[in-house]
Amino acid sequence: MTATESGTYRVYGSDRDEGELNFVEQGTEQPTYVRADGYDEPLADAVADLRPGYLVEATLDWSQEPATITDLTVLTRTLLFVADDTADIFERATETFQEARREEMPIYPTQTFDTDGEPNGVLYVVARQAGERDLFAEFCDGRKTIEPMLGKIETGGVEPPYEVFCIRPATEPFFVIYIALDAGGLLAETLHDEYDPEHP
C-alpha cells in the first residue's frame, strides 16, 4: 500500500476512540480508522463537521496509525442515526416483520408513504441472527454495507441526502433500517422525536 491513498468513503463513528472516525470505502466492508482532531485549518473545520452517514472523497496518509486525512470533499450529507435497546418500535415495523416471516425472508423491504400518498421512506426489517454474530452492530459501523439500499433509492430517482435510522427494540426478534428520503423532513423529525431524546 502506498503512503497515501484516495477513495470514496462512507463516514461512521469509531467504537475504538472518540478521537477517531471510521471511514468505509465504497465497494468494501472494511473499517479504516482515521484521526478526527489535531488538523490545521481549513481541514480542521471540515473534519469537525463530518457526521456519520456522510459520503466523502478523501485522501488518507497511512504513515501513522490511525491514518490522517490530507484532502477532503463532502459529496452528500446523508445522516446515520443509531438507537439500540429501545423500549418499543412503531407498528408498521411490526407488521412488516410479520410479512417477512410469512415469506421467510430474513431481510424484508417495504416502501412507506406520507398522508398525501407520496413516498417518504424505505423500511427494512432484519431478523436477529442466532449465535454470536451481531448484524445490527455490523450495519451500524459499515461492516455490513448499506450502499445497495441507498443505491436503489438513487436509481429510483430520489437524490440524497437521506437520513438512515438503525433502530433495535429491546424485546423484538428484529431490528429496522429506515431510510427517510427527505433529510430533515417530517418522517425524519418524527423518528428523531421518538428515538432520539438529544435531537434539538
Side-chain angles (χ1 to χ4, degrees), residues 39-65:
Y39 294 94
D40 296 328
E41 297 297 345
L43 195 55
D45 283 344
V47 174
D49 286 342
L50 292 177
R51 297 292 180 268
Y54 278 22
L55 187 68
V56 302
E57 284 183 351
T59 301
L60 305 181
D61 182 346
W62 294 86
S63 60
Q64 55 185 311
E65 170 65 29

Side-chain angles (χ1 to χ4, degrees), residues 85-166:
D85 288 330
T86 63
D88 54 23
I89 193 66
F90 49 93
E91 185 177 354
R92 181 60 186 275
T94 303
E95 294 171 350
T96 303
F97 180 65
Q98 296 304 323
E99 294 173 16
R101 272 187 162 171
R102 286 192 292 270
E103 299 193 25
E104 299 182 342
M105 295 177 61
I107 299 179
Y108 190 88
T110 190
Q111 179 85 61
T112 63
F113 301 87
D114 64 19
T115 54
D116 294 324
E118 295 296 322
N120 65 357
V122 180
L123 172 65
Y124 289 83
V125 293
V126 185
R128 296 200 190 210
Q129 304 296 302
E132 296 182 1
R133 185 177 183 185
D134 188 345
L135 196 57
F136 179 78
E138 292 179 20
F139 273 114
C140 293
D141 65 15
R143 287 174 293 157
K144 183 71 174 175
T145 182
I146 60 173
E147 299 303 330
M149 299 177 183
L150 301 183
K152 287 180 181 179
I153 294 173
E154 287 194 58
T155 301
V158 181
E159 296 184 356
Y162 321 114
E163 289 200 50
V164 182
F165 294 82
C166 297

